[in-house]
Structure formats: C-alpha cells, structure tokens
Amino acid sequence: QDIRECPGPLGTLTELNAAVKEKFRHLRDRIQELEQMAKEQDKESEKQALLREVENHKKQMLSNQAAWRKANLACKIAIDNSEKDQLLQGRDSLRQRKTTKESLAESASNITESLMGISRMMSQQVQQSEETVQTLANSSRTILEANEEFKSMSGTIQLGRKLITKYNRRELTDKLLIFLALALFLATVLYILKKRLFPFL
C-alpha cells in the first residue's frame, strides 16, 4: 500500500523497496524455521499439519511478492507521468517568463521604490534613535548631578545632626551645673540660717 501510494521521487521508492525486501527475507527465514520444526515432529499428524501451514505461508508470500511487483510497476508509471507533467509545466513557465518580462521590469521598479522608501524610513528611525540616545544621555547627566547634590545635602545633614547632638549634650551639662549651683546656694543659705537662728546647735 505504501509503495502504491508513494508520490516519488525514485529515491523514496528505492528506500521502501529495500524495507520490503528485508521484511520478505525475515518472513522467508521464519517459514524455513517452521518447515524445519515440522520435519522434526515425531507424530505424523502434527508434522503434516505444520507442513500444510508452511505451504499456506509460502503461497501467501508468493502472492504478496506478485502484488509488490504490480505496486512497483504502477508507482514507477505514476512517478514517470508526474515527472513528465513537471517538465511540461516547466516549459509552460518558461514561456510565461518570456512573455512577462515587462511585468517583471515593472515589479522590479516597484520593488526598488519600496526599498528606497524603506531606506528613508530607516534613516528617519536612525535619526530618532540618535535623538533618543542624546535625550537619555542628558537625563543621565541630570540624574548624576542630582545624585551629587543629594550626596552633598546628606553630608550637610549629617554635620547638622552632629552639631545638634553636641548642643543637646552641652544643654544637659549646663542644666546639671545650674542644678548643682542652686543646690550649693540653698545649702549655704540653710547653713547661714542655722548659725543665726540656732547658734547652740
């Protein structure tokens, strides 16, 4: 069936035939094994039954070989006819090519104009790309400058934080000194009052 429906070329048909030959060889070997097995049987009835089966297989193989040859012949005829049709179509196409030179020239001119249009569009795209790259470069420069400003502002903020921390510490120290001075003053006043009011103590 595969050989009968083979569309070609002859190389494909040759590969299919090689595969079929291999299958026939394998089948022939199996039939010979079955025949040898029949000859080795002790019972005559079993021997005759196997030999009849061997004959049936041989007839079937011969029938398949005949069908194979017919399929090969039909396939080769179909491939030859197909190749002839292709040759005729090739000649017709050559005639058509000769008669359509003007249309081909016009098509070539149209293609050239289209290519020129595409070239102009590509040039515009390249110019736009250059402008975009320039814009990106300017934006990158602006971002870098802003980053530098942020770094300087960060340094200023850190310096201010240090100064505030230092002032807070100084304020705490001043409060502590004032408290100690006030305590000393109160102690002095109490001591004087004690000496004036209670001299016997």
Side-chain angles (χ1 to χ4, degrees):
Q1 184 70 23
D2 292 338
I3 290 175
R4 190 179 295 110
E5 296 177 355
C6 178
L10 288 176
T12 304
L13 180 61
T14 302
E15 293 177 359
L16 288 173
N17 281 324
V20 172
K21 287 179 182 178
E22 180 63 24
K23 290 182 183 294
F24 273 124
R25 186 191 64 78
H26 182 69
L27 179 60
R28 192 179 299 108
D29 293 340
R30 299 295 293 171
I31 291 173
Q32 288 177 357
E33 291 177 5
L34 184 60
E35 187 175 8
Q36 183 64 31
M37 186 184 299
K39 292 178 180 179
E40 293 174 357
Q41 295 298 317
D42 295 331
K43 292 183 179 181
E44 186 66 23
S45 59
E46 294 180 356
K47 179 178 179 180
Q48 292 300 324
L50 288 175
L51 288 174
R52 284 194 297 272
E53 189 174 351
V54 168
E55 288 301 321
N56 290 332
H57 284 304
K58 286 182 177 180
K59 290 178 181 178
Q60 185 65 37
M61 184 178 68
L62 292 174
S63 176
N64 289 334
Q65 286 178 341
W68 173 41
R69 294 188 188 96
K70 291 180 181 179
N72 260 298
L73 182 60
C75 183
K76 287 180 179 179
I77 292 173
I79 292 175
D80 290 339
N81 291 333
S82 177
E83 290 179 351
K84 289 178 182 178
D85 292 339
Q86 289 179 358
L87 288 174
L88 292 174
Q89 291 177 359
R91 291 176 182 175
D92 292 339
S93 63
L94 287 174
R95 293 193 189 97
Q96 291 177 357
R97 288 175 184 174
K98 291 179 180 179
T99 57
T100 57
K101 286 184 178 179
E102 294 180 357
S103 61
L104 287 175
E106 185 177 357
S107 298
S109 177
N110 293 332
I111 292 171
T112 303
E113 292 180 359
S114 299
L115 289 174
M116 291 178 65
I118 292 171
S119 177
R120 286 193 294 269
M121 290 176 61
M122 290 178 66
S123 177
Q124 293 176 358
Q125 291 292 333
V126 170
Q127 185 176 0
Q128 291 179 359
S129 299
E130 290 178 353
E131 293 176 356
T132 303
V133 169
Q134 186 64 32
T135 304
L136 289 173
N138 294 333
S139 300
S140 177
R141 191 179 302 110
T142 304
I143 291 172
L144 290 174
E145 292 175 355
N147 190 20
E148 292 296 329
E149 292 180 0
F150 286 150
K151 287 182 180 179
S152 61
M153 289 176 63
S154 177
T156 304
I157 291 171
Q158 289 180 359
L159 180 60
R161 185 180 300 154
K162 290 180 181 178
L163 290 175
I164 291 171
T165 304
K166 184 177 180 181
Y167 288 146
N168 287 334
R169 290 178 181 173
R170 182 172 295 176
E171 182 180 3
L172 181 62
T173 305
D174 292 342
K175 288 181 179 179
L176 184 60
L177 291 174
I178 292 171
F179 176 76
L180 291 175
L182 182 61
L184 181 61
F185 175 75
L186 291 175
T188 304
V189 171
L190 290 174
Y191 179 76
I192 294 172
L193 289 175
K194 177 185 174 184
K195 290 295 183 180
R196 294 284 179 91
L197 297 176
F198 305 102
F200 53 87
L201 292 178

